[in-house]
Amino acid sequence: MESAKSIRRHRAAQGNILKYGVRQALYFGCGVLTSRGAVLGTLAPFGASFAAAVPGEGLIASLLGATMGYIILSPADSFRYIAVMIAIGGARWLFSDLGRVTRSRLFAPLAAFIPIFATGIALLFSSGSTLSEFTGCLLEALLAAAAAYFMSVSVRLVGDRRSIAACTGQETACLVMTGCVLILSLGGLAVEGVSLGRIIAVVAVLLCARYGGVQGGAVSGVATGAVFSLADFQQGFLCGAFAFGGLMAGLFSGLRKVGCAAVFTVTSVMMSLAFGSGTIPVSVMLECAVGAAVFLFIPKDVGNFITPIFVREPSTALGDTVKKNVIMRLDSAARAIKNVKGDVENVSKRLGEMYSPSFENVCENVAADVCSGCGLRMYCYEHEGGVTRDDFFRLEEILCEKGRLDENDVANGFVKSCCKKGEIADSMSSHYRLLVAGREAERRIAEIRGAVAGQFAGVSDILGDLSREFESALRCDAEAEDRITEALASLGAIPERVVCLISDNGRMRVELTLSGKGEVIREGQLRREVSKSCGRRFDLPTMTESGGVIRAAMCELPMYDIEIGSDQHIAQGGKLCGDCIDYFNDGMGRTYALVCDGMGTGGRAAVDGNMAVSTMGRLLRAGLCADSALQIVNSALMIKSEDESLSTVDLASVDLYNGELTLKKAGAAMTFIRRGGRVITREMPSLPAGILNNIKFSTDTLNLSAGDMVVMVSDGVVTGDEKWLERLIRTWHKGSAQELAQAVVEEAIRRRAEIRDDDITAVAMRVVENEDR
């Protein structure tokens, strides 16, 4: 019987084949569709534009689809466009190995312009040309180049899987123009002069006007009107009809759907009548009526995805939102370090109560205890004061060696005879023990002072991180904040603060705090409400609770996801493992994996490792950067007890938007990365936490893609020969990340059979495409 694992792998393989087939079918269909978009009567440059713009995986399907479309559209002239397709395919293949050339923004426009222009000129010279024909040839080539640029940007955005609301103004314009070209291709599908393409254009303009206001209506109206006017000079009136109709519909968008549709229809008919043939265009009326009817039945939720495209300016000052965000972040950080701060204060108070005298004070105390009642005091301290002082100080060396004195030590150390040698030995031994204790106390106080000084530096780092983070936030969306607050309140939750910030890359992140007294909101429910309110697709939130307040952080749905697994072995069959692990998503588009190894094995190592991993994880979840969190962990380990405490810190974080891997190590073992079928290692020398003040991470970054893997291990895995581990990771293709971690631990246990047993930990991560996108 086939195992469940084999069935899952078989289904996954079938799913990948199906996805590939669907993509190829889409490339083929779009090739056919774009090639049917004719301008200036018979010119059809857009199929060539699409073939020049698609990525390499869709080139063959696009060429075949565009070629078929040209044959269907115009059989008589198809040989010219077939030659154009061959030229574009050859150019794409010739430059396929020159990534720097193909990634240039000018490559796709030139790949479309040159074949179209060259074949057009060749036909003109063979048949005799006129200036107007040459102008038409040049115009067709320029349209092909412009459309290729628009399509290349659009294809890249689709490949990045970014929300349309996260696009810049230029990127949005490219998407709109690409959409208009696709709609134009449907313009030829008409029944009694009523065009399907123009009906779709009417629906698109009405949607943009209703939910995008004046800006949405004007932009969509001008774009669609211009494209359809180019299709046929006799329909030039459509440019004014769509443009002015979209503008007026946007102005009256407050009249809801019915009013918006009515205004657009009346305005379009008036403009068509004024600039058309002088008669009421029946086709325009029918197209507007059908488009308006379709528009009225489109759900309201569609508007949530259109509004952010055009409404980009913040309705309130950024300062108010940043103020709320600062309050939330600082409050979270304060809660996270509250326990650490309390420990520091308690230890400092106890050690500050102790006083450490010098050896001279020891001598003074001995003189007060023993010599004050001696009859020879005047002789020893008045006539021979210098000698007596030297006699006492000669005893310090003996005390340092033995830790105590006896009567013979005093007799040998004094140059003159003393009648109270035994009493002096006992008193000096007692006071010297106090001196040693005081010096130890001073040492501990000095460590505390250093730790506190390190905290000041840590606070400075935190504030610097926050300032840089807010500097990168270009704008806020106060309207989305209001919609989220209203949506959560309708569910019975009590939102205290809601912040929606948009960074310089166009992505939105949402942070909010909820009172614990309201209704409990599940993660999936919260994501659904925030996505609906913002018109963007969000990832599951990271939620933490402290002091009766629930903090949630979430970001737009990233491109990648992380499959992660871990396994451990406790040395000598013990109950407590000195290796501690943690992994989580911070709600900002990063996944963290953390491995901390306490000194030694057993309970003591488990305490150190667990303290390091729990404190580090709590601070990272609260929004602190890794370097600032390390300073706090280091200070906590240094002052938690009188005994030496240390722990390695191994941190790996993956940016789920671009696949960037960041490795940070403080005394940790090497990390193994499988990238592109090759295994590389990263071993970065550094000190563990808990030894010295102001330690720093050793940091390295790499770029990963889907299928790449990261394996983090403790020092118990690597016994001097790591080649076996590299082979295991390189050849691991069928199993899950969890199974890989288990295989690493099992093999490490087998290889340690002949040497001292140790705690063994492995964490495996695989980068995968986000299935929710």
Side-chain angles (χ1 to χ4, degrees), residues 613-636:
V613 78
S614 61
T615 304
M616 193 81 182
R618 184 166 61 246
L619 296 174
L620 291 174
R621 286 181 174 90
L624 273 68
C625 74
D627 295 300
S628 301
L630 177 64
Q631 297 301 320
I632 297 176
V633 171
N634 185 56
S635 300

mmCIF file with all atom_site columns, all heavy atoms in Angstrom, residues 613-636:
data_model
loop_
_atom_site.group_PDB
_atom_site.id
_atom_site.type_symbol
_atom_site.label_atom_id
_atom_site.label_alt_id
_atom_site.label_comp_id
_atom_site.label_asym_id
_atom_site.label_entity_id
_atom_site.label_seq_id
_atom_site.pdbx_PDB_ins_code
_atom_site.Cartn_x
_atom_site.Cartn_y
_atom_site.Cartn_z
_atom_site.occupancy
_atom_site.B_iso_or_equiv
_atom_site.pdbx_formal_charge
_atom_site.auth_seq_id
_atom_site.auth_comp_id
_atom_site.auth_asym_id
_atom_site.auth_atom_id
_atom_site.pdbx_PDB_model_num
ATOM 1   N N   . VAL A 1 613 ? 17.064 32.124 25.240 1.00 0.00 ? 613 VAL A N   1
ATOM 2   C CA  . VAL A 1 613 ? 16.122 31.991 24.133 1.00 0.00 ? 613 VAL A CA  1
ATOM 3   C C   . VAL A 1 613 ? 14.789 32.658 24.457 1.00 0.00 ? 613 VAL A C   1
ATOM 4   O O   . VAL A 1 613 ? 14.155 33.269 23.581 1.00 0.00 ? 613 VAL A O   1
ATOM 5   C CB  . VAL A 1 613 ? 15.931 30.509 23.763 1.00 0.00 ? 613 VAL A CB  1
ATOM 6   C CG1 . VAL A 1 613 ? 15.004 29.795 24.725 1.00 0.00 ? 613 VAL A CG1 1
ATOM 7   C CG2 . VAL A 1 613 ? 15.415 30.359 22.344 1.00 0.00 ? 613 VAL A CG2 1
ATOM 8   N N   . SER A 1 614 ? 14.332 32.572 25.719 1.00 0.00 ? 614 SER A N   1
ATOM 9   C CA  . SER A 1 614 ? 13.044 33.181 26.062 1.00 0.00 ? 614 SER A CA  1
ATOM 10  C C   . SER A 1 614 ? 13.134 34.699 26.053 1.00 0.00 ? 614 SER A C   1
ATOM 11  O O   . SER A 1 614 ? 12.232 35.385 25.549 1.00 0.00 ? 614 SER A O   1
ATOM 12  C CB  . SER A 1 614 ? 12.572 32.681 27.427 1.00 0.00 ? 614 SER A CB  1
ATOM 13  O OG  . SER A 1 614 ? 13.497 33.042 28.445 1.00 0.00 ? 614 SER A OG  1
ATOM 14  N N   . THR A 1 615 ? 14.229 35.242 26.612 1.00 0.00 ? 615 THR A N   1
ATOM 15  C CA  . THR A 1 615 ? 14.383 36.698 26.623 1.00 0.00 ? 615 THR A CA  1
ATOM 16  C C   . THR A 1 615 ? 14.551 37.234 25.209 1.00 0.00 ? 615 THR A C   1
ATOM 17  O O   . THR A 1 615 ? 13.930 38.236 24.825 1.00 0.00 ? 615 THR A O   1
ATOM 18  C CB  . THR A 1 615 ? 15.594 37.096 27.485 1.00 0.00 ? 615 THR A CB  1
ATOM 19  O OG1 . THR A 1 615 ? 15.434 36.566 28.798 1.00 0.00 ? 615 THR A OG1 1
ATOM 20  C CG2 . THR A 1 615 ? 15.711 38.613 27.575 1.00 0.00 ? 615 THR A CG2 1
ATOM 21  N N   . MET A 1 616 ? 15.396 36.575 24.415 1.00 0.00 ? 616 MET A N   1
ATOM 22  C CA  . MET A 1 616 ? 15.631 37.020 23.038 1.00 0.00 ? 616 MET A CA  1
ATOM 23  C C   . MET A 1 616 ? 14.343 36.948 22.223 1.00 0.00 ? 616 MET A C   1
ATOM 24  O O   . MET A 1 616 ? 13.996 37.890 21.494 1.00 0.00 ? 616 MET A O   1
ATOM 25  C CB  . MET A 1 616 ? 16.704 36.141 22.407 1.00 0.00 ? 616 MET A CB  1
ATOM 26  C CG  . MET A 1 616 ? 17.261 36.671 21.097 1.00 0.00 ? 616 MET A CG  1
ATOM 27  S SD  . MET A 1 616 ? 18.491 37.926 21.398 1.00 0.00 ? 616 MET A SD  1
ATOM 28  C CE  . MET A 1 616 ? 18.908 38.387 19.709 1.00 0.00 ? 616 MET A CE  1
ATOM 29  N N   . GLY A 1 617 ? 13.617 35.848 22.330 1.00 0.00 ? 617 GLY A N   1
ATOM 30  C CA  . GLY A 1 617 ? 12.378 35.713 21.579 1.00 0.00 ? 617 GLY A CA  1
ATOM 31  C C   . GLY A 1 617 ? 11.330 36.731 21.984 1.00 0.00 ? 617 GLY A C   1
ATOM 32  O O   . GLY A 1 617 ? 10.627 37.293 21.137 1.00 0.00 ? 617 GLY A O   1
ATOM 33  N N   . ARG A 1 618 ? 11.217 36.989 23.302 1.00 0.00 ? 618 ARG A N   1
ATOM 34  C CA  . ARG A 1 618 ? 10.240 37.968 23.771 1.00 0.00 ? 618 ARG A CA  1
ATOM 35  C C   . ARG A 1 618 ? 10.546 39.369 23.251 1.00 0.00 ? 618 ARG A C   1
ATOM 36  O O   . ARG A 1 618 ? 9.647  40.113 22.845 1.00 0.00 ? 618 ARG A O   1
ATOM 37  C CB  . ARG A 1 618 ? 10.211 37.959 25.300 1.00 0.00 ? 618 ARG A CB  1
ATOM 38  C CG  . ARG A 1 618 ? 9.144  38.879 25.892 1.00 0.00 ? 618 ARG A CG  1
ATOM 39  C CD  . ARG A 1 618 ? 8.919  38.589 27.366 1.00 0.00 ? 618 ARG A CD  1
ATOM 40  N NE  . ARG A 1 618 ? 10.130 38.809 28.154 1.00 0.00 ? 618 ARG A NE  1
ATOM 41  C CZ  . ARG A 1 618 ? 10.798 37.857 28.780 1.00 0.00 ? 618 ARG A CZ  1
ATOM 42  N NH1 . ARG A 1 618 ? 10.391 36.585 28.687 1.00 0.00 ? 618 ARG A NH1 1
ATOM 43  N NH2 . ARG A 1 618 ? 11.881 38.124 29.486 1.00 0.00 ? 618 ARG A NH2 1
ATOM 44  N N   . LEU A 1 619 ? 11.823 39.726 23.248 1.00 0.00 ? 619 LEU A N   1
ATOM 45  C CA  . LEU A 1 619 ? 12.199 41.061 22.789 1.00 0.00 ? 619 LEU A CA  1
ATOM 46  C C   . LEU A 1 619 ? 12.027 41.198 21.279 1.00 0.00 ? 619 LEU A C   1
ATOM 47  O O   . LEU A 1 619 ? 11.605 42.252 20.791 1.00 0.00 ? 619 LEU A O   1
ATOM 48  C CB  . LEU A 1 619 ? 13.646 41.358 23.184 1.00 0.00 ? 619 LEU A CB  1
ATOM 49  C CG  . LEU A 1 619 ? 13.917 41.431 24.687 1.00 0.00 ? 619 LEU A CG  1
ATOM 50  C CD1 . LEU A 1 619 ? 15.402 41.593 24.957 1.00 0.00 ? 619 LEU A CD1 1
ATOM 51  C CD2 . LEU A 1 619 ? 13.138 42.568 25.327 1.00 0.00 ? 619 LEU A CD2 1
ATOM 52  N N   . LEU A 1 620 ? 12.337 40.146 20.514 1.00 0.00 ? 620 LEU A N   1
ATOM 53  C CA  . LEU A 1 620 ? 12.145 40.212 19.066 1.00 0.00 ? 620 LEU A CA  1
ATOM 54  C C   . LEU A 1 620 ? 10.664 40.318 18.716 1.00 0.00 ? 620 LEU A C   1
ATOM 55  O O   . LEU A 1 620 ? 10.285 41.056 17.801 1.00 0.00 ? 620 LEU A O   1
ATOM 56  C CB  . LEU A 1 620 ? 12.757 38.977 18.400 1.00 0.00 ? 620 LEU A CB  1
ATOM 57  C CG  . LEU A 1 620 ? 14.283 38.874 18.413 1.00 0.00 ? 620 LEU A CG  1
ATOM 58  C CD1 . LEU A 1 620 ? 14.725 37.532 17.861 1.00 0.00 ? 620 LEU A CD1 1
ATOM 59  C CD2 . LEU A 1 620 ? 14.904 40.005 17.601 1.00 0.00 ? 620 LEU A CD2 1
ATOM 60  N N   . ARG A 1 621 ? 9.834  39.594 19.431 1.00 0.00 ? 621 ARG A N   1
ATOM 61  C CA  . ARG A 1 621 ? 8.391  39.685 19.189 1.00 0.00 ? 621 ARG A CA  1
ATOM 62  C C   . ARG A 1 621 ? 7.850  41.065 19.533 1.00 0.00 ? 621 ARG A C   1
ATOM 63  O O   . ARG A 1 621 ? 6.871  41.521 18.937 1.00 0.00 ? 621 ARG A O   1
ATOM 64  C CB  . ARG A 1 621 ? 7.657  38.631 20.013 1.00 0.00 ? 621 ARG A CB  1
ATOM 65  C CG  . ARG A 1 621 ? 7.800  37.204 19.496 1.00 0.00 ? 621 ARG A CG  1
ATOM 66  C CD  . ARG A 1 621 ? 7.012  36.256 20.380 1.00 0.00 ? 621 ARG A CD  1
ATOM 67  N NE  . ARG A 1 621 ? 6.985  34.891 19.878 1.00 0.00 ? 621 ARG A NE  1
ATOM 68  C CZ  . ARG A 1 621 ? 7.881  33.965 20.183 1.00 0.00 ? 621 ARG A CZ  1
ATOM 69  N NH1 . ARG A 1 621 ? 8.891  34.269 21.008 1.00 0.00 ? 621 ARG A NH1 1
ATOM 70  N NH2 . ARG A 1 621 ? 7.791  32.748 19.680 1.00 0.00 ? 621 ARG A NH2 1
ATOM 71  N N   . ALA A 1 622 ? 8.485  41.720 20.526 1.00 0.00 ? 622 ALA A N   1
ATOM 72  C CA  . ALA A 1 622 ? 8.033  43.057 20.913 1.00 0.00 ? 622 ALA A CA  1
ATOM 73  C C   . ALA A 1 622 ? 8.450  44.125 19.916 1.00 0.00 ? 622 ALA A C   1
ATOM 74  O O   . ALA A 1 622 ? 8.026  45.272 20.036 1.00 0.00 ? 622 ALA A O   1
ATOM 75  C CB  . ALA A 1 622 ? 8.594  43.413 22.296 1.00 0.00 ? 622 ALA A CB  1
ATOM 76  N N   . GLY A 1 623 ? 9.272  43.752 18.927 1.00 0.00 ? 623 GLY A N   1
ATOM 77  C CA  . GLY A 1 623 ? 9.643  44.713 17.891 1.00 0.00 ? 623 GLY A CA  1
ATOM 78  C C   . GLY A 1 623 ? 11.056 45.224 17.981 1.00 0.00 ? 623 GLY A C   1
ATOM 79  O O   . GLY A 1 623 ? 11.464 46.047 17.157 1.00 0.00 ? 623 GLY A O   1
ATOM 80  N N   . LEU A 1 624 ? 11.869 44.781 18.968 1.00 0.00 ? 624 LEU A N   1
ATOM 81  C CA  . LEU A 1 624 ? 13.245 45.218 19.067 1.00 0.00 ? 624 LEU A CA  1
ATOM 82  C C   . LEU A 1 624 ? 14.082 44.537 17.996 1.00 0.00 ? 624 LEU A C   1
ATOM 83  O O   . LEU A 1 624 ? 13.802 43.413 17.590 1.00 0.00 ? 624 LEU A O   1
ATOM 84  C CB  . LEU A 1 624 ? 13.828 44.906 20.448 1.00 0.00 ? 624 LEU A CB  1
ATOM 85  C CG  . LEU A 1 624 ? 13.620 45.960 21.539 1.00 0.00 ? 624 LEU A CG  1
ATOM 86  C CD1 . LEU A 1 624 ? 12.141 46.049 21.922 1.00 0.00 ? 624 LEU A CD1 1
ATOM 87  C CD2 . LEU A 1 624 ? 14.467 45.637 22.767 1.00 0.00 ? 624 LEU A CD2 1
ATOM 88  N N   . CYS A 1 625 ? 15.148 45.215 17.566 1.00 0.00 ? 625 CYS A N   1
ATOM 89  C CA  . CYS A 1 625 ? 16.046 44.602 16.606 1.00 0.00 ? 625 CYS A CA  1
ATOM 90  C C   . CYS A 1 625 ? 16.943 43.604 17.327 1.00 0.00 ? 625 CYS A C   1
ATOM 91  O O   . CYS A 1 625 ? 17.115 43.650 18.555 1.00 0.00 ? 625 CYS A O   1
ATOM 92  C CB  . CYS A 1 625 ? 16.877 45.663 15.880 1.00 0.00 ? 625 CYS A CB  1
ATOM 93  S SG  . CYS A 1 625 ? 18.186 46.390 16.872 1.00 0.00 ? 625 CYS A SG  1
ATOM 94  N N   . ALA A 1 626 ? 17.548 42.701 16.553 1.00 0.00 ? 626 ALA A N   1
ATOM 95  C CA  . ALA A 1 626 ? 18.329 41.612 17.140 1.00 0.00 ? 626 ALA A CA  1
ATOM 96  C C   . ALA A 1 626 ? 19.540 42.127 17.913 1.00 0.00 ? 626 ALA A C   1
ATOM 97  O O   . ALA A 1 626 ? 19.870 41.607 18.982 1.00 0.00 ? 626 ALA A O   1
ATOM 98  C CB  . ALA A 1 626 ? 18.774 40.650 16.043 1.00 0.00 ? 626 ALA A CB  1
ATOM 99  N N   . ASP A 1 627 ? 20.227 43.147 17.408 1.00 0.00 ? 627 ASP A N   1
ATOM 100 C CA  . ASP A 1 627 ? 21.427 43.642 18.084 1.00 0.00 ? 627 ASP A CA  1
ATOM 101 C C   . ASP A 1 627 ? 21.092 44.256 19.431 1.00 0.00 ? 627 ASP A C   1
ATOM 102 O O   . ASP A 1 627 ? 21.821 44.066 20.410 1.00 0.00 ? 627 ASP A O   1
ATOM 103 C CB  . ASP A 1 627 ? 22.138 44.663 17.197 1.00 0.00 ? 627 ASP A CB  1
ATOM 104 C CG  . ASP A 1 627 ? 22.668 44.037 15.917 1.00 0.00 ? 627 ASP A CG  1
ATOM 105 O OD1 . ASP A 1 627 ? 23.488 43.114 16.018 1.00 0.00 ? 627 ASP A OD1 1
ATOM 106 O OD2 . ASP A 1 627 ? 22.246 44.457 14.834 1.00 0.00 ? 627 ASP A OD2 1
ATOM 107 N N   . SER A 1 628 ? 20.002 45.002 19.510 1.00 0.00 ? 628 SER A N   1
ATOM 108 C CA  . SER A 1 628 ? 19.594 45.578 20.791 1.00 0.00 ? 628 SER A CA  1
ATOM 109 C C   . SER A 1 628 ? 19.157 44.498 21.763 1.00 0.00 ? 628 SER A C   1
ATOM 110 O O   . SER A 1 628 ? 19.471 44.547 22.957 1.00 0.00 ? 628 SER A O   1
ATOM 111 C CB  . SER A 1 628 ? 18.454 46.581 20.573 1.00 0.00 ? 628 SER A CB  1
ATOM 112 O OG  . SER A 1 628 ? 18.851 47.620 19.710 1.00 0.00 ? 628 SER A OG  1
ATOM 113 N N   . ALA A 1 629 ? 18.435 43.496 21.263 1.00 0.00 ? 629 ALA A N   1
ATOM 114 C CA  . ALA A 1 629 ? 17.988 42.406 22.129 1.00 0.00 ? 629 ALA A CA  1
ATOM 115 C C   . ALA A 1 629 ? 19.177 41.621 22.687 1.00 0.00 ? 629 ALA A C   1
ATOM 116 O O   . ALA A 1 629 ? 19.156 41.166 23.842 1.00 0.00 ? 629 ALA A O   1
ATOM 117 C CB  . ALA A 1 629 ? 17.057 41.474 21.352 1.00 0.00 ? 629 ALA A CB  1
ATOM 118 N N   . LEU A 1 630 ? 20.250 41.465 21.893 1.00 0.00 ? 630 LEU A N   1
ATOM 119 C CA  . LEU A 1 630 ? 21.424 40.735 22.375 1.00 0.00 ? 630 LEU A CA  1
ATOM 120 C C   . LEU A 1 630 ? 22.059 41.435 23.569 1.00 0.00 ? 630 LEU A C   1
ATOM 121 O O   . LEU A 1 630 ? 22.528 40.773 24.514 1.00 0.00 ? 630 LEU A O   1
ATOM 122 C CB  . LEU A 1 630 ? 22.444 40.593 21.242 1.00 0.00 ? 630 LEU A CB  1
ATOM 123 C CG  . LEU A 1 630 ? 23.763 39.908 21.623 1.00 0.00 ? 630 LEU A CG  1
ATOM 124 C CD1 . LEU A 1 630 ? 23.513 38.464 22.040 1.00 0.00 ? 630 LEU A CD1 1
ATOM 125 C CD2 . LEU A 1 630 ? 24.762 39.970 20.469 1.00 0.00 ? 630 LEU A CD2 1
ATOM 126 N N   . GLN A 1 631 ? 22.095 42.761 23.564 1.00 0.00 ? 631 GLN A N   1
ATOM 127 C CA  . GLN A 1 631 ? 22.681 43.484 24.693 1.00 0.00 ? 631 GLN A CA  1
ATOM 128 C C   . GLN A 1 631 ? 21.902 43.210 25.979 1.00 0.00 ? 631 GLN A C   1
ATOM 129 O O   . GLN A 1 631 ? 22.484 43.042 27.057 1.00 0.00 ? 631 GLN A O   1
ATOM 130 C CB  . GLN A 1 631 ? 22.704 44.982 24.395 1.00 0.00 ? 631 GLN A CB  1
ATOM 131 C CG  . GLN A 1 631 ? 23.562 45.381 23.210 1.00 0.00 ? 631 GLN A CG  1
ATOM 132 C CD  . GLN A 1 631 ? 25.006 44.965 23.374 1.00 0.00 ? 631 GLN A CD  1
ATOM 133 O OE1 . GLN A 1 631 ? 25.578 45.062 24.462 1.00 0.00 ? 631 GLN A OE1 1
ATOM 134 N NE2 . GLN A 1 631 ? 25.606 44.466 22.306 1.00 0.00 ? 631 GLN A NE2 1
ATOM 135 N N   . ILE A 1 632 ? 20.604 43.134 25.874 1.00 0.00 ? 632 ILE A N   1
ATOM 136 C CA  . ILE A 1 632 ? 19.783 42.868 27.057 1.00 0.00 ? 632 ILE A CA  1
ATOM 137 C C   . ILE A 1 632 ? 19.989 41.430 27.531 1.00 0.00 ? 632 ILE A C   1
ATOM 138 O O   . ILE A 1 632 ? 20.113 41.158 28.727 1.00 0.00 ? 632 ILE A O   1
ATOM 139 C CB  . ILE A 1 632 ? 18.308 43.157 26.744 1.00 0.00 ? 632 ILE A CB  1
ATOM 140 C CG1 . ILE A 1 632 ? 18.126 44.645 26.412 1.00 0.00 ? 632 ILE A CG1 1
ATOM 141 C CG2 . ILE A 1 632 ? 17.415 42.772 27.915 1.00 0.00 ? 632 ILE A CG2 1
ATOM 142 C CD1 . ILE A 1 632 ? 16.727 45.011 25.986 1.00 0.00 ? 632 ILE A CD1 1
ATOM 143 N N   . VAL A 1 633 ? 20.033 40.484 26.604 1.00 0.00 ? 633 VAL A N   1
ATOM 144 C CA  . VAL A 1 633 ? 20.278 39.088 26.965 1.00 0.00 ? 633 VAL A CA  1
ATOM 145 C C   . VAL A 1 633 ? 21.645 38.945 27.623 1.00 0.00 ? 633 VAL A C   1
ATOM 146 O O   . VAL A 1 633 ? 21.804 38.248 28.637 1.00 0.00 ? 633 VAL A O   1
ATOM 147 C CB  . VAL A 1 633 ? 20.180 38.192 25.716 1.00 0.00 ? 633 VAL A CB  1
ATOM 148 C CG1 . VAL A 1 633 ? 20.649 36.775 26.023 1.00 0.00 ? 633 VAL A CG1 1
ATOM 149 C CG2 . VAL A 1 633 ? 18.753 38.160 25.198 1.00 0.00 ? 633 VAL A CG2 1
ATOM 150 N N   . ASN A 1 634 ? 22.647 39.602 27.079 1.00 0.00 ? 634 ASN A N   1
ATOM 151 C CA  . ASN A 1 634 ? 23.990 39.541 27.639 1.00 0.00 ? 634 ASN A CA  1
ATOM 152 C C   . ASN A 1 634 ? 24.021 40.062 29.068 1.00 0.00 ? 634 ASN A C   1
ATOM 153 O O   . ASN A 1 634 ? 24.607 39.438 29.971 1.00 0.00 ? 634 ASN A O   1
ATOM 154 C CB  . ASN A 1 634 ? 24.938 40.345 26.754 1.00 0.00 ? 634 ASN A CB  1
ATOM 155 C CG  . ASN A 1 634 ? 26.379 40.249 27.196 1.00 0.00 ? 634 ASN A CG  1
ATOM 156 O OD1 . ASN A 1 634 ? 26.935 39.166 27.302 1.00 0.00 ? 634 ASN A OD1 1
ATOM 157 N ND2 . ASN A 1 634 ? 26.997 41.385 27.480 1.00 0.00 ? 634 ASN A ND2 1
ATOM 158 N N   . SER A 1 635 ? 23.370 41.188 29.301 1.00 0.00 ? 635 SER A N   1
ATOM 159 C CA  . SER A 1 635 ? 23.345 41.758 30.648 1.00 0.00 ? 635 SER A CA  1
ATOM 160 C C   . SER A 1 635 ? 22.584 40.856 31.616 1.00 0.00 ? 635 SER A C   1
ATOM 161 O O   . SER A 1 635 ? 22.992 40.677 32.773 1.00 0.00 ? 635 SER A O   1
ATOM 162 C CB  . SER A 1 635 ? 22.698 43.153 30.609 1.00 0.00 ? 635 SER A CB  1
ATOM 163 O OG  . SER A 1 635 ? 23.414 44.020 29.764 1.00 0.00 ? 635 SER A OG  1
ATOM 164 N N   . ALA A 1 636 ? 21.488 40.282 31.159 1.00 0.00 ? 636 ALA A N   1
ATOM 165 C CA  . ALA A 1 636 ? 20.694 39.402 32.030 1.00 0.00 ? 636 ALA A CA  1
ATOM 166 C C   . ALA A 1 636 ? 21.501 38.177 32.456 1.00 0.00 ? 636 ALA A C   1
ATOM 167 O O   . ALA A 1 636 ? 21.444 37.759 33.615 1.00 0.00 ? 636 ALA A O   1
ATOM 168 C CB  . ALA A 1 636 ? 19.414 38.986 31.312 1.00 0.00 ? 636 ALA A CB  1
#
